[in-house]
Every structure is written in C-alpha cells, then in structure tokens.
Amino acid sequence: ITCLDISSGGGLGVSTSTDGTMKIWQAANGEIRRLLEGHVYDVNCCRFFPSGLVVLSGGMDAQLKIWSAEDASCVVTFKGHKGGILDTAIVDRGRNVLSCSRDGTARLWDCGKSACLGVIADCSSPVNGIALGTADSSLNLGTPEKAPSEREVGTEGKILLLAREDKKLQGVGLQSRQPVFLFVGSDAFNCCTFLSSTYILAGAQDGNIYQLDVRNTNAPIQIIHRSGAPVLSLLPYRDGFIASQGN
C-alpha cells in the first residue's frame, strides 16, 4: 500500500497499491466498497476532493485520474507528464489540481476541460512530494509574466512547496510560477507540509525533518532527527505533526 486518504466526512477511505489497483473502503468496518481499475503499474498517490465523492490519483504510468467514489468510474484522465506521478494537491474546492512527477515538473490542471494549464516548475530532478498552502501576506510571490487563464481558480496568494530528489526544497508562487525560495538540505527530500502560513516541514531520505520559516529559509528553525530511516510522510496534527519513516 503506497498511499491512504479519508473523506472529509470520515465515512470512506481510499488506498493505492503497487498492484496497480485502488480500493474505496467503508471506514467504519473496513468493507471494500469499490475497486478502481485503470492505472497500469504502481499507483503512487490518492486523495479525496473536499466533496468526499471524488478521488484524484497518480501512478507510475504518468497518468493522473479523477474517479467517482460512488460508481467507480474514471471521469477524467490527464496526460502530459513524461514520468511517474509521485504526489498531488487540490486547489481550493477542486476546479484545479496539481501533480508532480519523476520527470521533474509540477503541473496545474483544469478539471472541467481536462487540460494542463501550465508547468508550475521544471526542476530537472524528480519532484517527490508537493504541498499547497496560503502564503503569509508579507511574502512576495512574484508577478505572472502573462495574465492567468480564466480557467485558473483559486491560485492567487498560494505557495507550492516542492520536495526534490536533488536535496532541494523549493517554494514557488502558484499563480506567478516564480521561485520564492530554495533551501538545500542534507539528502533527497521525500515529503513536505505546511504547519501554518509561515511554518513548513520537509522530510529527507537521511531521516532529517526540517522545520523552516518561509519568510527566511536561510537557516532552519530546527532539524529533528530520531533515526536514520527515510522520512516518508508528514501530517500536521494538533500543535505538532505525525511523521512516518522507512523503519
């Protein structure tokens, strides 16, 4: 099992696996409700849209798919990445979604027209994880080179974090596509998340968890190191966070 998510109402769970399938579960008793089939090879990531009725997934087949949790149909398939999709994010209520890939790019997609609205970043190194957050108002997110498409909904004032294989954690203005910061860590970054509009976390392959302030990323606020096992996922929880590691 590569990824899990729970619907906003808590009633359903979704999981993806290296066997190429996805399952929708009844959260209360673990009963399988739907089998979502359509990806080839490993499915790497899944998440519910805020409605809790629709699921977004990405796989090693370089395809990003949107599914109905109610009847298991694949509503949309996005194609454009040249390598496996490693993580996704949903903008606001889900008119637009984001994906990152082994091909080094992060892309913004329009769900209604099932089209790519643009490459947000091209890193020339696999992007292992992304996180989307509302930026602190003091942060300069840059200005778009050309006016955003009217199909872009809710991208203003947002910052996208990219956890990169080349030991870099990057912040990019979602609407501007401009770099906001670039932090170099001790090893490949696997995952990242927002604790607030100013504080972020990133987990590295060597077991380091970096806490940074987006307004000044020159030096981390702290580096947490519990074991040398890779940090695989991070989740804000109450006043702290939960981390999973490869041990």
Side-chain angles (χ1 to χ4, degrees):
I1 295 173
T2 49
C3 189
L4 295 165
D5 195 25
I6 304 290
S7 64
S8 51
L12 295 175
V14 61
S15 60
T16 58
S17 169
T18 53
D19 66 7
T21 67
M22 303 170 60
K23 293 181 169 69
I24 301 225
W25 307 81
Q26 192 73 37
N29 59 11
E31 186 184 313
I32 298 174
R33 291 290 301 275
R34 299 279 181 271
L35 193 60
L36 309 183
E37 293 180 298
H39 278 290
V40 191
Y41 314 124
D42 304 14
V43 192
N44 294 328
C45 45
C46 57
R47 64 178 70 239
F48 279 100
F49 279 76
S51 68
L53 304 173
V54 185
V55 172
L56 178 68
S57 69
M60 285 312 260
D61 55 8
Q63 296 189 107
L64 189 68
K65 288 179 177 284
I66 296 176
W67 309 80
S68 161
E70 297 173 297
D71 65 7
S73 60
C74 178
V75 194
V76 177
T77 298
F78 299 109
K79 292 181 180 176
H81 279 295
K82 303 282 189 286
I85 293 168
L86 301 176
D87 200 5
T88 60
I90 292 172
V91 185
D92 288 350
R93 292 175 60 193
R95 300 267 297 275
N96 294 168
V97 298
L98 290 147
S99 58
C100 68
S101 162
R102 290 174 70 114
D103 67 12
T105 65
R107 290 173 180 262
L108 180 71
W109 307 87
D110 171 9
C111 295
K113 292 249 172 96
S114 63
C116 181
L117 289 170
V119 175
I120 305 299
D122 191 345
C123 304
S124 67
S125 168
V127 182
N128 295 323
I130 51 174
L132 184 64
T134 302
D136 182 77
S137 55
S138 67
L139 211 58
N140 177 12
L141 295 179
T143 312
E145 286 172 10
K146 58 177 196 283
S149 152
E150 77 251 358
R151 304 290 305 178
E152 262 190 51
V153 185
T155 57
E156 197 178 354
K158 303 276 198 324
I159 182 170
L160 183 70
L161 302 181
L162 303 129
R164 296 168 37 168
E165 184 70 23
D166 59 4
K167 306 185 184 180
K168 291 172 182 160
L169 180 73
Q170 186 175 4
V172 179
L174 182 55
Q175 192 177 72
S176 71
R177 323 280 204 258
Q178 304 293 325
V180 177
F181 70 82
L182 190 65
F183 173 80
V184 181
S186 53
D187 205 343
F189 281 108
N190 293 326
C191 51
C192 51
T193 191
F194 284 84
L195 291 175
S196 68
S197 62
T198 51
Y199 296 130
I200 57 175
L201 289 176
Q205 187 69 13
D206 60 6
N208 282 343
I209 300 170
Y210 292 85
Q211 185 183 352
L212 300 165
D213 185 326
V214 290
R215 297 165 299 185
N216 178 8
T217 58
N218 293 333
I221 298 166
Q222 62 171 336
I223 302 173
I224 301 155
H225 188 93
R226 293 286 164 81
S227 91
V231 183
L232 301 176
S233 64
L234 293 164
L235 187 70
Y237 182 69
R238 295 185 180 164
D239 296 331
F241 64 91
I242 296 169
S244 73
Q245 292 187 260
N247 55 0

